[in-house]
Amino acid sequence: MMDFATSRRTVALWLRNAWVPIILVVVALVSGGIITANHSDQFSPLDEWVYYDYTVKIPTQGVVRQGELIGHEALVGMACNGDSFGPRGEPCNDVQDINASYPQGGKTSADIYTPLYFVITWSLGKVIQLLTGAEFLTAARATGILWLAGGLLVFYRLLELMKVRRVVTLGLGLAIIGAPTTFWANTYISTDAPVFLVGAALLLAGVSAIKGRSSPWWLLPIAVIGILLKVTTVLALGLVVLALVLFVIFAKHETAWVAKRRLLIPVVVTVAAAGFAQVAWLLIRAQISLGAGPDQGLAQPLAWRDIAGMLALFIYPGPLSGNYDPLLRIPQIVGAPLVLITIAGIVAFACARFANPLEKSLAFSIVLASTLFAPLLALGMYLLLGDVFPVIERYAIPLLPAYLLAAAMIIKNRVAEWAVLGYGAFLVVFVTACSIAFA
C-alpha cells in the first residue's frame, strides 16, 4: 500500500509536470466565467440571436430547417434586449410573434448548421443551469468556456510534442484567453466556440502521426466531428493534410515508402469521409427545407480583384483582429501585439533553418494555408452556390493553433519568452477587469 510520503511525492511530480495546463484551464474558467456572467441579456451581433433560437428548440424539434421562422422565446429576446443595434421587432410588452417585423423577416439563418453543436450546447447548458442557478442564456453561453479549456489542453500537448518551452506555451495560452476572438467565440453562444479545439486536435493528430506517437486514423473521427460542428474546420483539416503530404515529399530520403503509405491512406480516407459528411448534411437540409431562407444581401458576383485581395485576409487582419465590444470600451490596441506575434511567427518560421522534415512541412503548410485558403474558400462557395459570400477573418479560427505554433517555434530568446508571458498575463487580467468595470 502506498504510504503518505510516496503519495505526496507522486502528487508533487504530477504538479511539476502539469502546472502549465492546470493554470491555463483554471484561468480560462475563471476569466471566461467572469466575462460571461457580466454580459447583459443583449445578444451578440455575431448571429447569437439565431443560435439561441436553435438551441432552445433542440428538445422539441432537434433541428432547425431552412425557411423556418424564429421561435417565440428568441423573438422576445430580440424585442426586449436586442443586439448591439438595440431592440428590434415588436414592442417588448406586446410580442405576438409577428416575424415580419424582425431582422431577416424573422427567419432563421442557422439552418446551415447540423444540430450537433446546439445539442451539446443545450445539454451542457442545462447542467450548468442546474448547478449554478443561472438563467439559460448565460448557462448556454458558459459552454463556450468548456470548449476553450479543452482547446487549451490540446494546444498545450501539441506544443509539448514540438518541444516548445513551457513559459512560451503559458504566455501564448493566456494571450488566447484574453484575445478578442475568444471574447466573441467563447463567452457568447457561437458556432465558433469549438473550432479552436478542433483545429488543435487535428494538428496534434497529424504531428503525432508523423512522429509515430499515435495512429494517423485519429484524424478520421476528429475531422468528421469537426465538419459536423462547423464546416470552417475544413481549413484546419486542409492544413494538416497539406503538412502530411509535404512531409512525405520532404522526407523522401529518410522515410520508407511503407511508412509514408501508413500516413497517406488515412489522409485520403479522412478527406473522403469529411466530404461525405458535409454533402450528406446538405442533402438532409435540402430534404427537410420549408422554403427559401432570409435574403441577407451578402451574395455578390465573382470579382477576381476581390479574390486576389483575399490573399492576406487570413494573416492580416487575421482571426485575432477585431474589437472586444461594439462600444469600443476595451481598446482594440491591447490585442494588437498578439496579431503581430502571429504574423511574425508565420514569416519567421517559414524562413528558419529547419531541424527536420516535420518542421519544414509545417512551416510551408502554414504559409500556404494563411495565404491561399481564403481565396480558395471564396472560389469554392462560387462553384457550389453560384455567388461569392464574404469571407471574414474569424473563419480562420481553426488555423489559430498552427499560427501560434509557428510563433512558439521561433521564440528562443529568454527575454522574448518572458515578454510573451507578461503580455499574456496582462491581456487576460485587463480584459477580465474591463468586463467587470463595464458591466
Side-chain angles (χ1 to χ4, degrees), residues 174-180 324 330 333-338 421-433:
L174 291 174
I176 280 295
I177 296 171
Y324 288 90
I330 303 176
I333 195 171
V334 298
L338 186 55
L421 177 59
Y423 169 70
F426 159 77
L427 186 60
V428 70
V429 170
F430 182 79
V431 173
T432 306

Side-chain angles (χ1 to χ4, degrees), residues 207-225:
V207 171
S208 297
I210 289 174
K211 285 177 168 280
R213 301 288 186 89
S214 67
S215 169
W217 286 105
W218 278 108
L219 286 168
L220 178 58
I222 298 170
V224 171
I225 292 171

Side-chain angles (χ1 to χ4, degrees), residues 159-232:
L159 266 60
E160 183 183 49
L161 199 60
M162 293 299 294
K163 302 186 186 311
V164 173
R165 282 176 54 83
R166 292 178 182 176
V167 171
V168 177
T169 302
L170 180 59
L172 292 174
L174 291 174
I176 280 295
I177 296 171
T181 297
T182 303
F183 180 88
W184 293 113
N186 297 97
T187 66
Y188 290 98
I189 302 173
S190 171
T191 52
D192 287 324
V195 297
F196 181 84
L197 168 58
V198 174
L202 284 168
L203 195 54
L204 175 61
V207 171
S208 297
I210 289 174
K211 285 177 168 280
R213 301 288 186 89
S214 67
S215 169
W217 286 105
W218 278 108
L219 286 168
L220 178 58
I222 298 170
V224 171
I225 292 171
I227 288 290
L228 295 177
L229 284 168
K230 186 159 189 174
V231 70
T232 55

